[in-house]
Amino acid sequence: MSNRKLNVFLPFLFAVVLALGMFLGHKMPGSNTGGATVFFAKPAKGPLQEVMDLVKSKYVDTMDTEKLQQEAIEGLLSHLDPHSVYIPPSQLQAVNQDLEGNFEGIGVEFNITADTVNVIAVLSGGPSEKAGLQSGDKIIKVNDSLVAGNGITSEKIRKLLLGPAGSVVNTTLLRQQKLIHVPIKRGVIPLYSVDASYMITPGTGYIKISKFSATTFDEFLKAMRSLERQGMKKLIIDVRQNPGGFMDAATRILDELLTDQRLILYTKGKAYPRTDYKTKRPGMFESGPLAILTDEGSASASEILAGAIQDWDRGTIIGRRTFGKGLVQEQYDLDNGGALRLTVARYFIPSGRSIQKPYSKGNDAYDEDIMERFNHGELVNKDSIRITDTVPYTTASGRRVYGGGGITPDVFVPFDTARFSKTLTALYTRNTISNFVYQYYTSHKEDFKRYKDAGDFVQSFQLSPALLNDFREFAKKDSIPGLDKLSGHDDTEIRTRLKAMMARQLYNKEGFYETINTTDPVVKKALETLDKQ
């Protein structure tokens, strides 16, 4: 009986539902405009994506939409802070490799002179050394590609030499006027961030950190252990021209320099609650005289290191005011193979100060800040430093410090403006010293075998009159002005650089810094300061 009643009323029920649906449909937006009414609509596209889609499908001419999208993204980001950036797919691998601390290739350093690719250094233990490459070899062909005498660029040769570890690249080299064919099996090549570590004086260690990558902390520990075995009691850490990198690398190094449960920094952002970073364990060098060397190129993680040391009065900051970057970025991978590095928080060092310099006047003014410092005299006179944050903060011992524009050093050392002479500027911009050293080294290899290490070279090697005369003739061919009337300063600078580049040719960056530091005024001031402690 109930089933019969349902069968009678079911058509009536359907009719009511249909009529109600038609009435509601008439009242919904779009019902009288020809638009289709849907109950499960996709999320509306933003106007930016709508415009891109219309340009792609309707525009009169064919457009490079990938380039168009990149410019649109960069235009959007230009209204944020200077450190939120888009990394296109073509650049992401190189950017990540730099921070990861390795890449896949053959392990050589090269330069290009006279349209020729010259091997200037072969990485010890790397694929090229195992294959028998030598400094002084000239690369003529890579696989089937001629790379000599055809306008080869550094970027093109890198693309030819880089490749997956385990793959083979076939090279044709010119060595002592003979062509030789050398297959090289590519491998994983480390990108070291500790450029030098050695005993600069008896009892004083020196460590140069060029960036903060995934391998920096392990490299730092290895250097510290070696220095301790050599009797280190005092330490200089050089982060001049270090642009930063991973915050974690800086905090782990600080854990070796500060006692337990000390605040290193804290981060805070709109979508990120305050997060404190503290020291956790006993460190290798929690006491003992310490100096941190900084300049206007020391940024981000370098400033975390210097700022925490200053705020806890753990050591002395020596040099010039740091860059002033106190923003934290996170990297987000994008579907097109690129990535977005977006600022998500600010960091604050132990005293509570932010060291981020202002960027409200736009990216151009932000980028020109260092030149502006030079123009108003800050790089040569500490009294010319402009403090942008007038709020005073104090260190652990009560010393007054300021934020809002980098770390101001405890001991100021001015920039040597005499290095901008016409002669020195021409030598550096034309790479004349480096090119001469490479040529001289390759023709005098046997003469350099007498030196057992970088320290022995620094102590024993002297620039002969014949070498200096050869350099002068080489530089004249490079149209370097003022060589016949060198000032005393320029003469000293040229001699120092020649010897340092010779040491780099022999002992890589370690040799360079061990040589150049003998005359470096910031290093000299650090040694004087530590001697008083």
Side-chain angles (χ1 to χ4, degrees):
M1 180 68 178
S2 59
N3 285 340
R4 280 201 300 270
K5 286 183 179 180
L6 182 62
N7 289 335
V8 171
F9 286 105
L10 201 56
F12 175 73
L13 182 62
F14 281 148
V16 171
V17 170
L18 180 61
L20 181 62
M22 293 176 64
F23 173 77
L24 291 175
H26 177 74
K27 295 295 184 181
M28 293 182 79
S31 60
N32 294 319
T33 60
T37 300
V38 291
F39 288 97
F40 299 101
K42 294 182 180 179
K45 295 179 180 179
L48 179 62
Q49 187 59 53
E50 283 186 291
V51 170
M52 292 298 300
D53 289 347
L54 287 169
V55 168
K56 186 176 181 179
S57 60
K58 303 292 187 181
Y59 186 63
V60 62
D61 295 321
T62 301
M63 299 294 295
D64 184 344
T65 53
E66 184 175 329
K67 182 179 179 181
L68 211 59
Q69 285 175 333
Q70 180 173 335
E71 290 178 356
I73 293 169
E74 290 172 349
L76 171 65
L77 296 179
S78 69
H79 293 279
L80 306 182
D81 66 281
H83 300 289
S84 290
V85 296
Y86 170 67
I87 307 170
S90 60
Q91 298 176 18
L92 183 60
Q93 183 180 13
V95 170
N96 286 343
Q97 284 174 347
D98 195 47
L99 285 175
E100 289 166 0
N102 62 70
F103 68 98
E104 295 179 347
I106 67 170
V108 296
E109 289 185 34
F110 64 87
N111 68 10
I112 299 175
T113 56
D115 223 11
T116 303
V117 181
N118 305 289
V119 176
I120 61 172
V122 180
L123 181 69
S124 177
S128 291
E129 184 184 65
K130 293 175 182 177
L133 264 70
Q134 300 175 12
S135 178
D137 288 344
K138 302 180 187 303
I139 303 177
I140 307 302
K141 288 180 67 176
V142 178
N143 293 325
D144 295 327
S145 300
L146 182 68
V147 298
N150 63 347
I152 190 68
T153 64
S154 296
E155 184 178 354
K156 288 179 181 178
I157 190 68
R158 284 193 185 96
K159 286 182 178 180
L160 291 170
L161 295 176
L162 295 177
S167 62
V168 175
V169 56
N170 292 296
T171 64
T172 300
L173 309 174
L174 181 65
R175 180 184 298 166
Q176 297 176 347
Q177 307 306 312
K178 293 182 180 179
L179 287 176
I180 58 173
H181 303 283
V182 181
I184 307 169
K185 187 176 181 179
R186 297 182 178 102
V188 177
I189 311 301
L191 289 170
Y192 296 113
S193 54
V194 172
D195 285 349
S197 62
Y198 67 100
M199 294 297 290
I200 194 166
T201 64
T204 304
Y206 170 91
I207 298 177
K208 170 67 177 179
I209 305 175
S210 62
K211 61 187 173 186
F212 289 89
S213 70
T215 62
T216 301
F217 178 66
D218 291 337
E219 293 177 53
F220 178 80
L221 282 187
K222 182 180 178 181
M224 288 289 289
R225 293 185 182 115
S226 174
L227 294 174
E228 284 195 336
R229 287 194 297 268
Q230 297 175 66
M232 179 186 68
K233 303 298 181 185
K234 305 174 183 180
L235 177 62
I236 298 171
I237 299 177
D238 189 346
V239 290
R240 288 175 295 172
Q241 295 300 307
N242 181 325
F246 287 134
M247 183 176 70
D248 178 67
T251 59
R252 293 176 75 187
I253 288 174
L254 281 162
D255 208 345
E256 301 299 323
L257 305 173
L258 298 170
T259 53
D260 291 356
Q261 293 304 307
R262 292 287 180 93
L263 179 67
I264 296 173
L265 78 153
Y266 65 90
T267 59
K268 188 169 59 175
K270 181 183 71 176
Y272 287 76
R274 171 169 169 160
T275 303
D276 289 0
Y277 297 82
K278 296 182 177 181
T279 55
K280 301 175 182 178
R281 59 184 182 278
M284 294 181 68
F285 198 72
E286 292 183 350
S287 62
L290 173 66
I292 310 294
L293 311 187
T294 66
D295 67 7
E296 53 284 344
S298 306
S300 189
S302 297
E303 296 173 289
I304 291 174
L305 176 67
I309 294 299
Q310 187 178 63
D311 280 358
W312 286 113
D313 296 297
R314 170 65 186 88
T316 307
I317 312 304
I318 300 174
R320 294 185 293 279
R321 180 163 67 107
T322 60
F323 181 86
K325 179 182 180 293
L327 300 174
V328 182
Q329 287 76 46
E330 284 190 354
Q331 184 165 307
Y332 300 91
D333 293 334
L334 304 176
D335 289 342
N336 71 343
L340 174 66
R341 277 195 186 162
L342 186 66
T343 296
V344 296
R346 296 177 182 271
Y347 71 72
F348 301 83
I349 52 180
S351 61
R353 53 184 168 145
S354 167
I355 56 174
Q356 176 62 46
K357 63 185 179 183
Y359 51 85
S360 58
K361 294 182 180 179
N363 288 0
D364 289 342
Y366 188 85
D367 293 339
E368 293 168 2
D369 172 65
I370 302 301
M371 184 55 68
E372 180 61 25
R373 295 188 198 184
F374 176 79
N375 289 336
H376 73 250
E378 173 182 327
L379 300 190
V380 296
N381 188 345
K382 184 177 182 178
D383 292 338
S384 296
I385 295 176
R386 295 175 179 172
I387 303 298
T388 56
D389 186 350
T390 57
V391 178
Y393 297 89
T394 56
T395 68
S397 68
R399 291 189 302 127
R400 179 165 289 187
V401 288
Y402 293 91
I407 304 295
T408 299
D410 303 310
V411 178
F412 178 80
V413 180
F415 179 79
D416 181 10
T417 56
R419 293 177 63 188
F420 285 155
S421 72
K422 288 184 178 180
T423 301
L424 294 179
T425 300
L427 287 172
Y428 293 141
T429 56
R430 298 174 197 177
N431 213 27
T432 304
I433 294 176
S434 178
N435 291 338
F436 169 77
V437 166
Y438 170 76
Q439 177 180 291
Y440 186 88
Y441 169 76
T442 54
S443 59
H444 294 80
K445 278 187 178 182
E446 294 300 317
D447 296 342
F448 290 101
K449 290 184 177 180
R450 71 184 75 171
Y451 306 107
K452 60 182 180 180
D453 55 30
D456 182 32
F457 178 85
V458 172
Q459 292 294 324
S460 306
F461 179 77
Q462 299 294 326
L463 296 169
S464 68
L467 186 153
L468 290 169
N469 187 63
D470 287 348
F471 170 73
R472 192 173 289 106
E473 294 303 314
F474 183 91
K476 284 181 178 179
K477 292 177 182 177
D478 219 0
S479 301
I480 303 298
L483 291 169
D484 293 327
K485 295 181 180 180
L486 288 175
S487 67
H489 176 277
D490 283 6
D491 183 64
T492 300
E493 178 77 7
I494 289 171
R495 289 171 180 267
T496 301
R497 286 281 162 173
L498 280 170
K499 184 172 180 178
M501 293 306 293
M502 291 285 184
R504 190 186 191 286
Q505 187 70 58
L506 287 163
Y507 308 107
N508 299 315
K509 293 178 182 178
E510 180 101 12
F512 175 83
Y513 284 106
E514 195 158 345
T515 305
I516 207 75
N517 283 346
T518 59
T519 61
D520 188 313
V522 183
V523 173
K524 286 184 174 181
K525 180 59 71 174
L527 291 171
E528 292 173 12
T529 303
L530 293 181
D531 284 344
K532 296 175 183 177
Q533 299 178 11

